[in-house]
Amino acid sequence: MTTTEARHWTAVCADGDILPDTGVCALVEGVHVAIFRVGRPQALYAIDNVDPKAGASVLSRGLVGSIGERIVVASPLYKNHFDLQSGECLEAPEHSVRAHAVRVHEGRVLVALA
């Protein structure tokens, strides 16, 4: 198990750069990552940004919402829903993406790849 201290954290933007209930994309160590600020209170989530079915880097542009207790983003291309905590694709689990650690430190959003 990786501890928070052992992870390699990359600063991607200022905390205020992500508007509520939206996502942004960032290149973290060569990986396209989608970072979302969602909910009440606002929480941060990070998953791979590439839609595995389309191969396009678009998940950060999807609509965020919930299905039951799950907070999800709907891909703007094929409308598959991805759980923001786990990266699981609800309609086709074989198309799931990785979920990454995300936190705020000294006003910066930091991501550590899974």
Side-chain angles (χ1 to χ4, degrees), residues 53-111:
K53 189 171 179 180
S57 190
V58 297
L59 293 181
S60 64
R61 297 184 209 161
L63 295 175
V64 293
S66 62
I67 296 178
E69 295 296 316
R70 297 175 111 171
I71 300 170
V72 299
V73 62
S75 171
L77 297 176
Y78 289 102
K79 310 306 183 228
N80 285 344
H81 295 91
F82 295 87
D83 184 306
L84 292 181
Q85 289 186 314
S86 68
E88 180 184 2
C89 178
L90 304 186
E91 291 80 13
E94 66 274 14
H95 292 297
S96 296
V97 298
R98 292 181 303 164
H100 307 287
V102 61
R103 68 179 183 177
V104 175
H105 180 70
E106 296 180 354
R108 303 290 297 167
V109 176
L110 308 173
V111 173

Side-chain angles (χ1 to χ4, degrees), residues 6-7 11 14 16-17 19 21 28 33 36 42-43 49 56 59 65-66 68 74 77 82 87 92-93 95 99 109:
R7 292 182 174 158
D17 288 345
L19 298 174
D21 300 318
V28 178
V33 176
F36 299 90
Q42 297 285 290
N49 193 40
L59 293 181
S66 62
L77 297 176
F82 295 87
H95 292 297
V109 176

Side-chain angles (χ1 to χ4, degrees), residues 23-58:
V24 298
C25 62
L27 191 61
V28 178
E29 298 178 36
V31 176
H32 292 223
V33 176
I35 303 112
F36 299 90
R37 179 181 300 282
V38 181
R40 307 284 181 272
Q42 297 285 290
L44 291 172
Y45 301 92
I47 61 172
D48 288 338
N49 193 40
V50 176
D51 180 320
K53 189 171 179 180
S57 190
V58 297

Side-chain angles (χ1 to χ4, degrees), residues 9-24:
W9 293 93
T10 302
V12 296
C13 64
D15 183 31
D17 288 345
I18 307 173
L19 298 174
D21 300 318
T22 66
V24 298

